[in-house]
C-alpha cells in the first residue's frame, strides 16, 4: 500500500483517503485521481490542471499547469493531483484535471475546492 501523500521520488502512488470531488481548502490537503492506462507503452501522456484564477506574486493569473510523461509499461497507473497552499482564499473554485493520449482526452475530473466552513 502506498503513502497517503504523493512522493515524486517514489514509484508508490498515494493511498485514497476519501472518494469525493468536494475538497475543503485546508493547507496541504492533496487531491487528484489515479488512472490505469493499458496498451499504451512508449507513448506520451499529456496532463493539464486548470485551476481557479490563482495569481502569482505580481498579481498575474497563473496559466494552467501542464506537461508530458512517458508511459513506462502496458499496464500503468498514473497519479494526477495538486494540493492547497497559502493563501487559501484564491484556491477556492473548480480545479479541472485532464489526461490526453494521441490528441484525445482519456480522463477528465473537476474538483470543487471550497472554504472549510461551507
Amino acid at each position: 500500500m502506498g503513502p497517503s501523500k504523493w512522493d515524486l521520488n517514489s514509484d508508490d502512488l498515494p493511498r485514497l483517503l476519501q472518494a469525493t470531488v468536494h475538497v475543503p481548502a485546508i493547507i496541504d490537503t492533496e487531491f487528484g485521481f489515479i488512472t490505469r492506462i493499458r496498451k499504451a507503452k512508449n507513448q506520451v501522456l499529456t496532463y493539464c490542471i486548470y485551476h481557479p484564477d490563482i495569481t502569482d506574486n505580481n498579481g498575474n493569473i497563473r496559466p494552467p499547469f501542464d506537461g508530458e510523461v512517458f508511459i513506462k509499461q502496458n499496464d500503468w497507473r498514473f497519479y494526477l493531483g495538486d494540493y492547497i497552499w497559502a493563501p487559501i482564499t484564491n484556491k477556492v473554485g473548480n480545479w479541472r484535471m485532464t489526461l490526453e493520449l494521441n490528441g484525445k482526452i482519456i480522463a477528465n475530473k473537476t474538483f470543487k475546492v471550497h472554504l472549510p466552513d461551507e
Side-chain angles (χ1 to χ4, degrees), residues 19 73 92:
Q73 54 202 30
V92 173

Side-chain angles (χ1 to χ4, degrees), residues 65-77:
F65 178 73
D66 61 359
E68 296 179 335
V69 65
F70 187 73
I71 298 174
K72 300 175 183 179
Q73 54 202 30
N74 275 324
D75 190 1
W76 190 63
R77 293 178 190 259

